[in-house]
Amino acid sequence: MRETRANFDVHGDFDVHCYAESWPLKTAFVISRGARTEARVVVVEVSADGVTGVGECTPYPRYGESVESVLAEISSVLPALRRGLTREQLQQALPAGAARNALDCALADWEWRKSGAAHSGPDWLPTVQTLVIADPDSMSEAARAAARRGVTVLKLKLDRQLVLERVAAVRAAAPDCQLVIDANEAWDGEGLPALCQALAEHGVAMLEQPLPAGEDALLADFTHPLPICADESCHTRADLPHLAGRYDMLNIKLDKTGGLCEAQALAEAAAAQGFEVMLGCMLCTSRAVRAAWPLGQFARFVDLDGPTWLAQDVEPLRFEGGRVYWT
């Protein structure tokens, strides 16, 4: 089921069609800052010379975005698109964020389809499977079910409650799976070094964004017994100077970088400065996963399971056995 909430067209060098959709989830997606029951996305289609490219973004309230604000941002650059705005010029025309991502990915998709080239990247990528916040028994059962399906990396969404109990329950249920943890900024600095040590002893492979963005200086004050990954603290290359010494890894998402152009540049700059990379996504359809695909082969962890939460997907990719297949 999908619902169009907004719609406009513009004609010029490109015909542009922009609209919003709502995709119900199979079950609630629960993280430290709340629960969601639908994925609300904005889609941009650009057409010229008989070729159409498609881009998708997920407006994120954490970053001050809404469907309405994203549509307004896209509308603001439509006159420039009429005059032949390029992807390079787009980087200056809009700030990093969901709106620029949808446009950048649509233009990139148009370029790819126009060229007739094969898709960039491997035929499949490994992907983590997310376990949302629940009581330890429920997370244990979800982990056991995922392991039976062949998932090899589990990502645990956690708040500050029952951290070690939940991790222990998942570890017991899926002893052969790698575990990564995403706190979504929900923790504080009290006892964090000792907690990190305990997580490492449970075999946790990575901890993502334990502290709020802008309040993470403590991460530079102790030796990390497991890699710590920046998510909310890292959007573009401009953030890199503040991350050195605090984080070991960066979660790159197109909706944060504002599209593939900046995402690729961020990945290259991160590698040059010694950061490892995780490739992530928001709750989204398979359109957004296809757009991020070229970056997957360079990431230590790939987290592209957003479409698996949808009750129905559009032109779905195949998710099977801890992998996502280009189809």
Side-chain angles (χ1 to χ4, degrees):
M1 175 185 178
R2 70 192 208 178
E3 178 184 358
T4 300
R5 297 182 180 271
N7 184 53
F8 53 82
D9 296 271
V10 62
H11 300 279
D13 283 14
F14 282 107
D15 291 342
V16 182
H17 184 51
C18 183
Y19 51 94
E21 297 175 338
S22 176
W23 294 86
L25 306 186
K26 296 174 185 174
T27 60
F29 190 81
V30 186
I31 67 173
S32 61
R33 62 173 62 99
R36 296 178 62 185
T37 58
E38 65 178 359
R40 299 189 69 195
V41 304
V42 172
V43 183
V44 174
E45 299 174 356
V46 296
S47 301
D49 301 327
V51 176
T52 297
V54 182
E56 175 185 302
C57 69
T58 301
Y60 200 36
R62 166 65 180 82
Y63 304 133
E65 296 173 336
S66 66
V67 165
E68 294 74 20
S69 71
V70 166
L71 289 170
E73 282 191 83
I74 293 171
S75 179
S76 73
V77 297
L78 292 183
L81 276 173
R82 293 191 190 100
R83 298 190 297 270
L85 182 76
T86 67
R87 291 179 66 202
E88 292 72 22
Q89 293 166 339
L90 176 64
Q91 309 309 304
Q92 304 303 317
L94 284 178
R100 194 175 80 187
N101 176 40
L103 281 167
D104 185 56
C105 288
L107 292 169
D109 190 49
W110 181 87
E111 291 172 358
W112 166 62
R113 294 178 186 277
K114 177 71 173 174
S115 73
H119 77 85
S120 176
D123 290 334
W124 62 269
L125 293 170
T127 183
V128 310
Q129 183 63 51
T130 301
L131 304 182
V132 296
I133 295 173
D135 62 82
D137 288 344
S138 297
M139 294 187 74
S140 171
E141 182 54 38
R144 187 174 293 108
R148 284 197 298 262
R149 297 195 304 272
V151 172
T152 59
V153 185
L154 296 171
K155 180 175 181 177
L156 284 62
K157 293 285 191 178
L158 294 177
D159 53 21
R160 194 62 178 87
Q161 307 302 312
L162 301 175
V163 171
L164 296 180
E165 291 87 345
R166 285 165 166 157
V167 172
V170 169
R171 170 56 70 206
D176 297 326
C177 288
Q178 274 193 304
L179 304 184
V180 297
I181 290 175
D182 186 3
N184 287 114
E185 306 180 279
W187 298 0
D188 56 43
E190 184 177 356
L192 183 60
L195 181 55
C196 287
Q197 183 61 47
L199 293 174
E201 292 170 1
H202 275 289
V204 173
M206 183 267 282
L207 170 62
E208 187 177 350
Q209 197 70 46
L211 302 176
E215 301 177 21
D216 48 10
L218 172 66
L219 298 177
D221 293 344
F222 66 97
T223 300
H224 300 171
L226 76 171
I228 299 180
C229 178
D231 182 3
E232 287 87 349
S233 289
C234 180
H235 292 240
T236 69
R237 286 171 289 172
D239 296 311
L240 289 176
H242 308 290
L243 306 178
R246 300 181 183 184
Y247 294 95
D248 312 286
M249 186 179 294
L250 312 178
N251 188 342
I252 297 178
K253 297 176 181 175
L254 300 191
D255 277 316
K256 293 189 301 175
T257 64
L260 197 55
C261 279
E262 177 61 26
Q264 290 172 323
L266 174 58
E268 293 171 3
Q273 296 185 33
F275 294 101
E276 291 189 290
V277 168
M278 180 179 195
L279 176 62
C281 68
M282 304 296 190
L283 287 173
C284 60
T285 78
S286 286
R287 285 177 300 221
V289 171
R290 289 181 189 275
W293 198 273
L295 293 170
Q297 58 192 316
F298 305 110
R300 176 178 172 185
F301 292 110
V302 175
D303 178 12
L304 296 178
D305 72 333
T308 68
W309 289 88
L310 304 182
Q312 179 185 354
D313 194 3
V314 59
E315 299 178 0
L317 295 166
R318 179 163 61 95
F319 290 82
E320 183 177 301
R323 297 177 176 182
V324 53
Y325 292 84
W326 183 277
T327 55

